[in-house]
Amino acid sequence: MSEELYTASKSFLGINIEVVCSTNGVREILINKDHNSKKHSGLKQVSIDDSKLFDVFNQLEEYFKRQRKEFTLPLEIIGTDFQKRVWIELIKIPYGETISYNQLAIRLRDQKSIRAVGAANGANPLPIVIPCHRVIGSDGSLVGYGGGLDVKQKLLELEGSLSMSLFEN
């Protein structure tokens, strides 16, 4: 018997968000992308307020209205042990703050793993909820975001952590 997966999508501030949930929790958030039909065969389209989606769209709406700084959703996090360590550390970055990839590697007690940290950050299946957008370059530049750097900029501006000095020469 195949696993039941549910999906719905909605746009916030011009950002299209599609969510994939299993019966265990939120599994994937796609930003300005469509789900991979090979990866998610048998997806059942449901409405955004369907209970099978664990209130994710209400919480996202609160986030985009600046009424929510942390998410309280059941998550089904699928990844390697190392990726999960990185993603757990990402959740610890407070709303409105940013850190560099190097700082993230140091928090994981392995500064030499900076490239692996970057790769794990990029493989995050739950952006926004696991706030990988809060990781920036050591020089303060906006680098590497699966949803696009324009979306990363919007999210950081929304949270009030984007300094205009990032764009000055």
Side-chain angles (χ1 to χ4, degrees):
M1 180 179 197
S2 65
E3 175 180 37
E4 289 193 4
L5 296 174
Y6 306 94
T7 188
S9 62
K10 182 176 179 177
S11 289
F12 301 92
L13 304 177
I15 302 167
N16 186 52
I17 297 179
E18 181 176 5
V19 174
V20 176
C21 294
S22 72
T23 54
N24 297 319
V26 183
R27 181 180 285 187
E28 193 169 6
I29 295 175
L30 302 156
I31 298 177
N32 293 333
K33 298 179 192 172
D34 291 326
H35 61 269
N36 180 335
S37 59
K38 291 179 184 174
K39 183 177 175 183
H40 298 299
S41 61
L43 270 177
K44 295 180 183 176
Q45 188 75 35
V46 295
S47 68
I48 61 169
D49 57 355
D50 192 298
S51 64
K52 293 176 181 75
L53 297 179
F54 303 101
D55 201 41
V56 66
F57 284 101
N58 285 332
Q59 290 194 30
L60 284 167
E61 186 162 340
E62 290 169 355
Y63 168 82
F64 281 103
K65 288 181 176 179
R66 295 187 170 121
Q67 298 169 344
R68 175 175 292 276
K69 295 181 179 184
E70 295 177 3
F71 293 87
T72 55
L73 296 163
L75 304 178
E76 184 177 28
I77 302 173
I78 298 173
T80 66
D81 289 343
F82 179 77
Q83 287 173 327
K84 289 177 184 179
R85 281 183 51 224
V86 171
W87 300 335
I88 288 167
E89 201 61 42
L90 291 173
I91 292 170
K92 296 176 186 176
I93 305 170
Y95 179 96
E97 294 184 22
T98 58
I99 66 170
S100 70
Y101 289 94
N102 189 51
Q103 289 170 311
L104 184 56
I106 291 168
R107 286 183 179 193
L108 292 164
R109 295 177 171 41
D110 189 0
Q111 191 171 4
K112 292 179 183 178
S113 69
I114 189 167
R115 289 179 192 254
V117 164
N121 196 54
N124 175 13
L126 296 161
I128 301 174
V129 173
I130 298 178
C132 54
H133 62 279
R134 296 181 188 152
V135 182
I136 59 175
S138 292
D139 62 357
S141 61
L142 301 184
V143 293
Y145 191 66
L149 292 181
D150 59 326
V151 173
K152 184 172 189 164
Q153 181 176 340
K154 280 184 182 180
L155 296 175
L156 292 175
E157 286 174 349
L158 176 80
E159 295 183 5
S161 61
L162 187 64
S163 166
M164 290 312 292
S165 66
L166 292 175
F167 302 102
E168 296 172 2
N169 290 335

